[in-house]
Amino acid sequence: MAEKHLKILQRLRALFKRAKVAPRAGGEVQPAAAAACRRRPKRGAAECIAHFLAAKDTGPRQDRAFLQAVRGFCHGRERSLPSCKQRIAEKIRDIMHKSFLALEARLVGCMEAVAELSKFHPPLRTDLRQSIVAWALGMVLGGPPIQADPAGQALQQKAEEALRRMLRGLIREDPSAGHLDTLLDQLLYWLRVSWPAPRARAAALLRDVLLDACKMPGLNISSQHTFGHVVAKLSVSLADPEAEVREKAREVFGQLMQLQQKKQGRSQFTWEEDPERPWRESYAHLITAAEVFGGHLSARQRLSLQEAALEDALSLDGRWVREGGLLVLLSLLGQARALLEEEEEIEDLRSNLSALLYNMWRGREVPPEIAALLPSSDE
């Protein structure tokens, strides 16, 4: 009898080792759940998700199985998720936070899973969505440098594509003005960091996000009261010291101008060139953008543009940010182009701008129109 029981135990042990049977108790996701995902895509994915949500501690293997299960389930024609969407997103966020030393394929899988998860309603909680987006932007745009080998470059490109898909999905999930404003603020932050590469990537990503947002029915960013804030913050990038950032910023403004042309019945817009003094082009582009948009903004939008430009002029960011903010203010007052035309050298222009900025900081002789925008001493 004992020999018979021993054979039964040996057979059960063999079944466990081959992942034919999964333990009933909660804990680490077992290989059986991952195998079920492959054998029965829909039902297996739901089981894998449920196992993972019940688990306390997971490793890389279980994380990958869970992300694959989420993507596999969302690819189907199911109308509802097998578990709470918020809980699934929280687990994805926790997995994302495990990638903080370097960009990993696991982070790419997280962004792809969020993109698929965004197909289901209700939308994610605002704080959860902001946390996911902030971490993804930090790792993809400003994370540790990627090695120059082909594998590292391929991973960076794949991560940027996954980030675009994730942001596109989140916009479609919640095509509201408040959501778009928050998302644009997160992207505009990366346009003033010290490192050139993140700024260029952020400008390209902002271009794609605006293009997706403009395609959403009923979501016209040029009609929002915060549109002036976006114009002011983006205008500064037209004078960025990096040519790649300036080029992408012009592409973004091209999209915004296209919307404005349709709204105002304008036919075309071109960036002016100055071959004899090429250093003037970026400043001229900034002034032109401020003049064109400033003349077609509502009173509330114009106020948001003034506030954002003043914030840049008084900020501690890069020199081009402070100078750009001041030029936007002077453009609204009709004084920027005359200041640009009277200077023959870039150093002369920068000296004048530096003097004006110093006076603004010290509260000395400041043009009355700009002084009216400055915070009072009590503030």
Side-chain angles (χ1 to χ4, degrees):
M1 191 71 178
E3 184 178 351
K4 181 178 180 181
H5 288 167
L6 181 60
K7 290 183 178 180
I8 293 176
L9 290 175
Q10 290 175 345
R11 180 173 177 80
L12 289 174
R13 188 180 295 110
L15 289 174
F16 274 109
K17 288 184 178 180
R18 293 198 301 268
K20 296 295 185 180
V21 179
R24 292 180 56 190
E28 186 176 341
V29 180
Q30 298 299 319
C37 296
R38 294 189 295 268
R39 294 195 305 269
R40 297 165 295 175
K42 295 288 175 46
R43 183 180 173 184
E47 292 177 358
C48 183
I49 294 172
H51 274 280
F52 192 90
L53 294 179
K56 295 182 179 179
D57 298 317
T58 60
R61 182 180 178 184
Q62 290 76 30
D63 293 344
R64 289 192 297 268
F66 170 70
L67 296 174
Q68 183 179 0
V70 173
R71 296 195 300 268
F73 188 92
C74 296
H75 269 309
R77 298 182 179 180
E78 303 292 336
R79 295 186 177 182
S80 61
L81 292 167
S83 302
C84 175
K85 179 180 178 180
Q86 309 296 331
R87 286 190 61 200
I88 295 175
E90 288 173 355
K91 286 292 186 179
I92 296 176
R93 179 196 57 189
D94 294 341
I95 297 175
M96 293 179 72
H97 288 177
K98 295 179 182 180
S99 300
F100 63 93
L101 294 177
L103 191 62
E104 299 177 348
R106 182 167 48 179
L107 178 66
V108 176
C110 289
M111 292 185 290
E112 292 175 345
V114 173
E116 295 294 336
L117 195 64
S118 64
K119 298 176 181 178
F120 294 86
H121 289 279
L124 296 178
R125 298 193 318 268
T126 302
D127 62 321
L128 179 58
R129 182 175 57 206
Q130 291 180 0
S131 176
I132 291 175
V133 171
W135 192 269
L137 291 177
M139 291 302 302
V140 178
L141 299 183
I146 294 296
Q147 296 181 358
D149 60 278
Q153 296 295 332
L155 179 61
Q156 177 69 42
Q157 183 178 0
K158 190 174 182 180
E160 293 178 9
E161 293 174 355
L163 178 58
R164 290 188 181 92
R165 290 197 298 270
M166 185 185 76
L167 296 181
R168 184 182 302 116
L170 291 176
I171 291 175
R172 292 175 179 174
E173 177 192 68
D174 181 15
S176 64
H179 175 206
L180 183 60
D181 287 342
T182 302
L183 182 57
L184 292 179
D185 276 340
Q186 290 179 290
L187 285 169
L188 288 171
Y189 163 81
W190 288 98
L191 286 178
R192 20 282 298 302
V193 296
S194 302
W195 313 286
R199 297 203 304 271
R201 292 171 183 162
L205 189 59
L206 181 62
R207 173 196 59 198
D208 296 338
V209 167
L210 287 176
L211 182 60
D212 293 331
C214 294
K215 294 179 180 178
M216 298 299 298
L219 185 58
N220 187 352
I221 60 173
S222 64
S223 300
Q224 298 177 23
H225 71 274
T226 56
F227 184 61
H229 174 90
V230 175
V231 171
K233 294 294 183 180
L234 185 59
S235 296
V236 174
S237 296
L238 291 172
D240 192 280
E242 296 295 325
E244 184 179 3
V245 180
R246 297 196 300 269
E247 179 183 359
K248 289 181 170 57
R250 288 194 296 269
E251 293 177 1
V252 176
F253 261 110
Q255 295 174 357
L256 297 180
M257 289 174 182
Q258 186 176 3
L259 289 176
Q260 200 74 6
Q261 289 164 6
K262 293 179 180 178
K263 183 179 177 181
Q264 302 295 334
R266 298 168 57 87
S267 58
Q268 62 181 357
F269 180 88
T270 56
W271 299 107
E272 59 183 290
E273 299 179 359
D274 192 341
E276 296 182 358
R277 293 177 293 177
W279 61 268
R280 293 183 65 259
E281 290 185 2
S282 59
Y283 293 101
H285 295 168
L286 186 155
I287 294 172
T288 299
E291 291 175 344
V292 170
F293 284 98
H296 297 285
L297 297 178
S298 65
R300 192 174 182 184
Q301 290 175 333
R302 189 178 178 87
L303 178 60
S304 69
L305 186 148
Q306 293 174 345
E307 292 175 345
L310 179 61
E311 178 183 351
D312 285 340
L314 299 178
S315 71
L316 297 177
D317 291 325
R319 180 177 181 175
W320 83 92
V321 176
R322 298 193 299 272
E323 293 178 351
L326 178 58
L327 283 173
V328 171
L329 292 174
L330 294 176
S331 299
L332 298 177
L333 301 175
Q335 302 175 7
R337 195 166 294 278
L339 178 63
L340 182 63
E341 291 294 339
E342 69 183 16
E343 303 297 347
E344 294 294 332
E345 300 293 338
I346 186 173
E347 294 303 328
D348 296 334
L349 175 63
R350 287 179 172 174
S351 296
N352 287 337
L353 294 177
S354 296
L356 287 172
L357 289 171
Y358 178 78
N359 289 338
M360 291 175 65
W361 272 100
R362 300 288 296 180
R364 297 185 178 182
E365 296 180 4
V366 180
E369 300 88 346
I370 296 182
L373 301 176
L374 290 174
S376 65
S377 58
D378 295 338
E379 295 176 346

